[in-house]
Amino acid sequence: MTPSEIKRLYRIIKVQLEYGLDELMPAHQLTKAPLLARKSLFWMKNKHPEKPLGERLRLALQELGPVWIKFGQMMSTRRDLFPPHIADQLALLQDQVSPFDGHLAKSQMELALGGPVEQWFDDFDIEPLASASIAQVHTAKLKETGQEVVLKVIRPDIRPVIDADLKLMYRMARIVSKALPDARRLKPVEVVREYEKTLLDELDLRREAANAIQLRRNFEGSEELYVPEVMPDFSSESLMVSERIYGIQVSDIPTLEANGTNMKLLAERGVSVFFTQVFRDSFFHADMHPGNVFVSYEHPENRFGLG
């Protein structure tokens, strides 16, 4: 390993131990030595014993950065694999990651726009509406029309962090593939490669903007799904501007029920939207976690919106 990789690996292990995640280590030949070392005086102790395990896992992933946050987002959608006290905490990584400074976000937007935000937008909110692993969202109004919009900007200096962690993940995947008998079936190197492709695609918001435009075109006039309009004239590799929509997050069951939502019909609409994308259009929104899917306040029985 290179010195930088060793330093990063030490940082990852340190954070995991400080949040007591060694509790999650399974009994295996590879973990035998670490499990014994837990009893040593030199073992880093859990600094957050008062917090439940799910919260500690979320905070650790959040502290480790975008690669690990995205991994937590993926895990949060697998409620068949994780108990509620862990899945509920990981779900917070979908749109409630610690934000970066709003003034820095604004300066990044102005670099992408080629001028001050105020030249094109009114009522820009320096406080983010949502913040996730790769990007952060702020609200404003188009100066020309008064339309409410959201501005999604890539986190600054994120690429070197992602590249470093992916390089380390590849190295660890190769070690696992040689050490574990089931590795040939699990294909850890191929999993990391697919994960890398997903992450790097998300760093180019031009790709997301183009996909959103196509998806909106596919569902034009639909009563089942509303896709917000993207403003391509303001969008670039690091910035995407789109129409702001309002709705109830699809995972917020109490609010959906209080709003009179017919849950059975809504579920049927969801299946219909899914199959329409797959079988009619062969074009599928592949990041449909609850942080991206909303239910209309006005038409709770049959309309989804995508954030």
Side-chain angles (χ1 to χ4, degrees):
M1 282 191 178
T2 64
S4 61
E5 287 176 328
I6 293 171
K7 183 178 179 181
R8 180 57 177 166
L9 181 59
Y10 172 79
R11 170 67 176 159
I12 292 168
I13 293 172
K14 182 174 182 287
V15 169
Q16 290 176 345
L17 294 180
E18 287 179 345
Y19 283 96
L21 300 187
D22 49 324
E23 295 177 21
L24 296 171
M25 283 195 296
H28 187 275
Q29 191 65 30
L30 286 175
T31 62
K32 192 173 182 180
L35 288 171
L36 286 173
R38 290 176 68 177
K39 301 174 183 178
S40 166
L41 291 174
F42 303 101
W43 191 259
M44 294 178 190
K45 303 301 179 184
N46 178 5
K47 292 185 177 180
H48 308 275
E50 77 287 354
K51 292 182 172 66
L53 178 58
E55 184 178 359
R56 283 187 274 127
L57 176 59
R58 172 179 62 83
L59 292 172
L61 294 173
Q62 189 167 303
E63 189 169 326
L64 288 172
V67 170
W68 303 92
I69 293 169
K70 196 67 183 176
F71 184 62
Q73 290 178 352
M74 292 168 61
M75 291 193 298
S76 74
T77 64
R78 294 303 307 271
R79 289 182 177 265
D80 55 325
L81 299 179
F82 299 98
H85 71 276
I86 289 180
D88 289 346
Q89 283 291 322
L90 292 178
L92 297 177
L93 295 172
Q94 293 165 4
D95 59 0
Q96 296 184 39
V97 176
S98 295
F100 63 94
D101 183 72
H103 293 91
L104 178 56
K106 186 179 179 184
S107 68
Q108 292 292 110
M109 293 174 191
E110 290 176 339
L111 276 175
L113 290 166
V117 165
E118 291 77 14
Q119 183 174 339
W120 297 281
F121 303 97
D122 291 324
D123 299 337
F124 176 81
D125 192 346
I126 203 71
E127 294 297 322
L129 176 67
S131 185
S133 57
I134 303 295
Q136 183 163 293
V137 175
H138 291 255
T139 61
K141 291 181 180 178
L142 279 177
K143 185 180 286 290
E144 187 176 351
T145 64
Q147 182 181 10
E148 291 186 85
V149 295
V150 292
L151 295 86
K152 181 176 183 178
V153 64
I154 297 292
R155 287 176 174 267
D157 304 320
I158 195 175
R159 181 62 186 265
V161 177
I162 289 177
D163 286 343
D165 275 0
L166 285 171
K167 188 176 179 182
L168 185 57
M169 286 178 121
Y170 270 117
R171 189 177 292 275
M172 298 307 295
R174 292 187 186 101
I175 292 172
V176 169
S177 65
K178 293 177 182 177
L180 296 180
D182 287 340
R184 185 171 296 178
R185 179 176 59 85
L186 297 174
K187 299 182 179 180
V189 175
E190 287 81 357
V191 169
V192 174
R193 186 175 295 120
E194 188 63 28
Y195 187 45
E196 176 185 33
K197 182 179 182 301
T198 300
L199 276 172
L200 297 185
D201 281 350
E202 289 193 25
L203 291 177
D204 188 347
L205 292 180
R206 293 172 301 186
R207 183 185 299 271
E208 181 174 341
N211 289 340
I213 290 169
Q214 181 61 53
L215 193 64
R216 178 178 170 86
R217 187 180 298 124
N218 291 347
F219 281 88
E220 188 173 3
S222 170
E223 292 187 353
E224 297 179 337
L225 181 68
Y226 183 82
V227 181
E229 179 186 4
V230 172
M231 286 71 180
D233 291 345
F234 298 111
S235 300
S236 61
E237 182 177 359
S238 61
L239 177 68
M240 187 175 83
V241 180
S242 59
E243 171 190 5
R244 184 179 184 181
I245 62 171
Y246 293 87
I248 305 166
Q249 200 170 84
V250 73
S251 59
D252 188 355
I253 304 301
T255 304
L256 288 175
E257 292 176 340
N259 198 51
T261 305
N262 183 331
M263 304 299 285
K264 180 178 181 296
L265 181 56
L266 186 68
E268 291 172 355
R269 297 295 196 193
V271 172
S272 174
V273 167
F274 179 90
F275 284 143
T276 298
Q277 292 180 79
V278 174
F279 296 115
R280 187 193 71 182
D281 302 327
S282 299
F283 191 85
F284 179 67
H285 190 299
D287 197 23
M288 292 184 70
H289 62 69
N292 281 342
V293 185
F294 302 89
V295 178
S296 168
Y297 283 106
E298 292 76 21
H299 306 282
E301 73 285 352
N302 69 349
R303 177 166 286 194
F304 290 97
L306 291 180

